[in-house]
Structure formats: C-alpha cells, structure tokens
Amino acid sequence: MANQLPSPPLPVLRPRDADSHKGTFGSALIIGGSRGMAGAVSMTGLAAARTGAGTVRLAIPDCCLETVASFSPCSMTLPLPQDPNGLIALAAASQLTRWLADASCVAIGPGMGQSKGLQEMLLEVLTAIKTPTVIDADGLNNLAALESSRFDWRKRLAAPLVITPHPGEWARLSGVPASDRIGQIQAAIKLAAEHAFVVVLKGHRTIITDGSSLVENLTGTPAMATGGSGDVLTGMITALICQGLSPRDAAQLGVQLHGLAGEIAADELASHVVLPTELIQFLPKAINHPRVR
C-alpha cells in the first residue's frame, strides 16, 4: 500500500521493576455488556488483565453481574442501572463518575448494545473522562447513531481517544463504504489528523494512524475471523495504555501482539479457527516472542 506518512518502529513494553505493585500498572475501567452479551465485556476484561493492567473493573448492567463475575475472578464488577431490555441505563452516567476519576484508561463498547439512552449516557461519560479512552463495537455504533442525527459528539471529548472500528463500523462513522479500503484509510487519516484521534481500522493488514503516521500491521491469520477477537484487542490496548504507553504506541503494539497471538495459537492448536479465549491464552507467548523484543 502506498504510504506517504512515516511508519514508526514497533514500541516496546518496558520490563517490570522488581519493586512493582498493582498500582504501578494502572487501572482499567471497561464499560459495556448487556443481557445476552455478557461474554464480550468479560473477554475484554480478561484480555486487559492478561496483558498487564494492574487492576481491571468491569462496569456492567446489574443483570449481567453474576454471569460476568463467573467468567473470571481476575476482574472486579461494578453493577450499573439497567433499562427494561437489560442495557446500561442513562442513570449510570452519574454513578460512573468516581470510577472514571480513578481509571488510567477507560474502554467503552464491548457487548453494550444500542439505544437512545446509551447514546445520551455516552455523551455524559465522554464529557467527564479525562484519561485516555478506547471505544469499540457498540460504543462506535452508538456514536454513529449520534452522527446520523447530525450531533457532533467529537466536541464533547476531553481526553485522548483510540477508536477501533471494523470496516462496517467505520462505514457508518465515516460514510465511506466498507468495499473501498483505500477510501476508508484516507478517511481514517483525515479524521485522526483533524481531531487528534488514533484510529485502528481493522481488517486484513489492520491500519493504525494518528494522522501524522501510519502503520500497516503484518501479523494475524484468517483463523482469527470469529466474533470476540475485537473485544480481546480492546482489552489489550487498554492495558498497554494503563502501563504507560501512549495511545498511539499502545494501539500499534496491541495490534501486533493480537495478530501474533493468533498466529501462535493457530499453529500450536493446529486449528483453522482460533477462539477469542484462545487468543488470550496465547498472549504470554506473543508478548515474549522475539518479533516484539
């Protein structure tokens, strides 16, 4: 792919000092989940923990609490008010204020669902967040709905932002069809430059851009083409930011590790499909692989 922007070298995750403690590696707050979609936010939380966030909190509708808590004991759960459909209710925004202030990085979207109340809640939360934020999945779809109502949600942002759309989600946000890969990349560069975002445009050879640089990722395998893989990536990028990487560097390293974990898993499992839980299982081997050292 022709690229006139610089492509920075792969960032490195600094080794852990002997006197480190959980506070050294930050606190991740992940907002998402809904009735019937508890697995997505659970995998995001487990991926964040496995990638190295010091603490992980999952803010979820109350109806999902037991399901999410049973997925893994590695994360704390924060029950939120819910609407009749089992989605996070608008009233949750005020309850999140304390946890937003404590977070090193916030992730929004996995398994969240879509509703008018969620769109309004998102606007309140985006106004309150002061730390780097990663938005994926239904977080992006709710923002796309605001876009279609001609409300410029970008003006509410007060924190560095990473968005991780797949081509369909990016088509809804940018207006460029998913079939036009070059056009979508150009739109990603333009939006990132205008609003100081980091855009991770997923797909074969995922693109990472902050508007002034562009990286084309070369790791990964078609075996990763299954629901939930993107939720894992969201948790990984969130955890890398918690550990001190800049949003752009966290996005680049996270995408590299995500694809590499998929390659290792497909090889060692001798499988044409890698489940998202298996991606998480193989993250330690990816993190310690010579290709990222």
Side-chain angles (χ1 to χ4, degrees):
M1 182 189 67
N3 172 24
Q4 302 302 316
L5 295 177
S7 182
L10 185 69
V12 176
L13 187 61
R14 189 170 66 87
R16 298 189 164 204
D17 295 331
D19 60 351
S20 299
H21 53 84
K22 65 182 181 182
T24 308
F25 305 114
S27 176
L29 175 63
I30 300 167
I31 305 170
S34 60
R35 184 183 296 133
M37 290 290 289
V41 70
S42 300
M43 289 188 292
T44 301
L46 186 55
R50 174 56 76 186
T51 307
T55 58
V56 179
R57 295 184 174 93
L58 305 180
I60 52 178
D62 186 74
C63 63
C64 295
L65 190 144
E66 285 77 15
T67 303
V68 172
S70 68
F71 190 90
S72 170
C74 300
S75 303
M76 292 171 277
T77 51
L78 307 174
L80 298 175
Q82 64 192 49
D83 70 12
N85 296 314
L87 305 176
I88 298 172
L90 173 59
S94 59
Q95 295 192 17
L96 284 166
T97 302
R98 172 195 168 190
W99 302 109
L100 293 173
D102 289 344
S104 308
C105 183
V106 179
I108 302 174
M112 177 177 277
Q114 300 178 59
S115 72
K116 182 65 175 176
L118 280 169
Q119 294 161 26
E120 295 176 7
M121 187 274 291
L122 263 176
L123 289 178
E124 291 197 24
V125 167
L126 289 174
T127 301
I129 294 174
K130 308 301 181 187
T131 52
T133 302
V134 182
I135 305 182
D136 183 32
D138 280 331
L140 297 173
N141 290 327
N142 280 296
L143 291 179
L146 291 170
E147 193 97 344
S148 65
S149 67
R150 299 185 180 181
F151 187 96
D152 191 355
W153 53 270
R154 299 170 187 85
K155 294 181 179 178
R156 294 290 187 101
L157 295 173
L161 181 66
V162 179
I163 60 175
T164 61
H166 61 54
E169 291 163 345
W170 188 234
R172 290 187 282 275
L173 277 169
S174 69
V176 180
S179 58
D180 183 2
R181 183 66 174 176
I182 298 301
Q184 285 208 331
I185 292 171
Q186 292 171 342
I189 294 169
K190 182 174 184 291
L191 181 136
E194 289 177 350
H195 299 282
F197 291 176
V198 177
V199 180
V200 176
L201 181 56
K202 293 184 287 196
H204 176 57
R205 297 194 172 180
T206 291
I207 296 298
I208 305 99
T209 183
D210 59 359
S212 61
S213 65
L214 186 144
V215 174
E216 184 180 37
N217 182 64
L218 301 180
T219 63
T221 164
M224 299 166 65
T226 184
S229 293
D231 301 314
V232 172
L233 177 62
T234 297
M236 294 173 64
I237 294 173
T238 301
L240 292 170
I241 293 173
C242 285
Q243 293 170 87
L245 272 69
S246 71
R248 198 220 67 84
D249 286 356
Q252 181 182 353
L253 181 58
V255 170
Q256 169 89 2
L257 291 172
H258 184 253
L260 185 54
E263 291 179 15
I264 297 169
D267 182 58
E268 294 200 12
L269 297 172
S271 176
H272 72 295
V273 174
V274 175
L275 301 179
T277 47
E278 292 167 340
L279 272 179
I280 298 170
Q281 176 188 344
F282 283 89
L283 284 177
K285 288 191 174 183
I287 291 170
N288 289 288
H289 196 278
R291 286 165 67 182
V292 296
R293 290 293 181 182

